Amino acid sequence: MISGVSDRRTAHGADAYRRLRQRLVLAMCALTLISGCGRPAQEDVQLDDAPPLYDPVEYDRAEGAVAAQVRNRLAEMGVEYRDLWLGLRPMPEGPPGLDADLDAYCDPDQGQELSQIVAEVALNALPRHETVRVRVYWWRERAGDDYAHLTGAWVWDASGKLIRHTPPGDLVGR
């Protein structure tokens, strides 16, 4: 009888431990998904505030086309593409601006070059936009370093001219 009680407690403790371990794994997965490309929470503005230049379906198609072209261009450079997000950033003073976030396994000093590629491809796919802001996140394949590192943000115009660069330290919290 005593052994039955201890077996039940041991089984209960093992179940509790297994549930706790599952919760920890889920929490770690959630943290991993949060970093890198994604819609910035502080810029979540309703598209109703500014009339879109394109139909949403056209943006979806353009995002796929831009991602494929950027992936190919980076492969030619020997840079491994990880992810790309392309979206609108409604602006109160004018038409919606175009935003792009790129994740790639690259060197931090390649940020400007990679942002220029993304800008060129994105503005060719969506020519009604005059500018695009591109943020580049670099990744490493090293144990313990499995998160996105921001290299900065670059704003490019349709002619390929760099309008503005914002270093990563000025972008924290944006």
Side-chain angles (χ1 to χ4, degrees), residues 111-112 115 134 151-155 162-168 170-171:
Q112 181 171 341
S115 74
V134 181
T151 64
W154 292 263
V155 177
L162 178 62
I163 296 172
R164 172 175 68 254
H165 170 252
T166 308
D170 294 348
L171 290 169

Side-chain angles (χ1 to χ4, degrees), residues 101-125:
D101 289 346
L102 172 69
D103 281 10
Y105 290 100
C106 62
D107 293 325
D109 58 343
Q110 291 179 294
Q112 181 171 341
E113 181 182 13
L114 299 181
S115 74
Q116 188 172 17
I117 290 169
V118 172
E120 176 187 325
V121 172
L123 290 172
N124 283 338

Side-chain angles (χ1 to χ4, degrees), residues 102-162:
L102 172 69
D103 281 10
Y105 290 100
C106 62
D107 293 325
D109 58 343
Q110 291 179 294
Q112 181 171 341
E113 181 182 13
L114 299 181
S115 74
Q116 188 172 17
I117 290 169
V118 172
E120 176 187 325
V121 172
L123 290 172
N124 283 338
L126 297 163
R128 293 183 198 156
H129 288 282
E130 297 174 4
T131 62
V132 61
R133 180 183 74 157
V134 181
R135 293 184 299 189
V136 177
Y137 296 87
W138 63 276
W139 290 73
R140 288 187 201 165
E141 287 188 347
R142 186 174 5 166
D145 192 8
D146 56 351
Y147 60 93
H149 302 271
L150 182 61
T151 64
W154 292 263
V155 177
W156 298 91
D157 70 9
S159 69
K161 179 182 172 195
L162 178 62

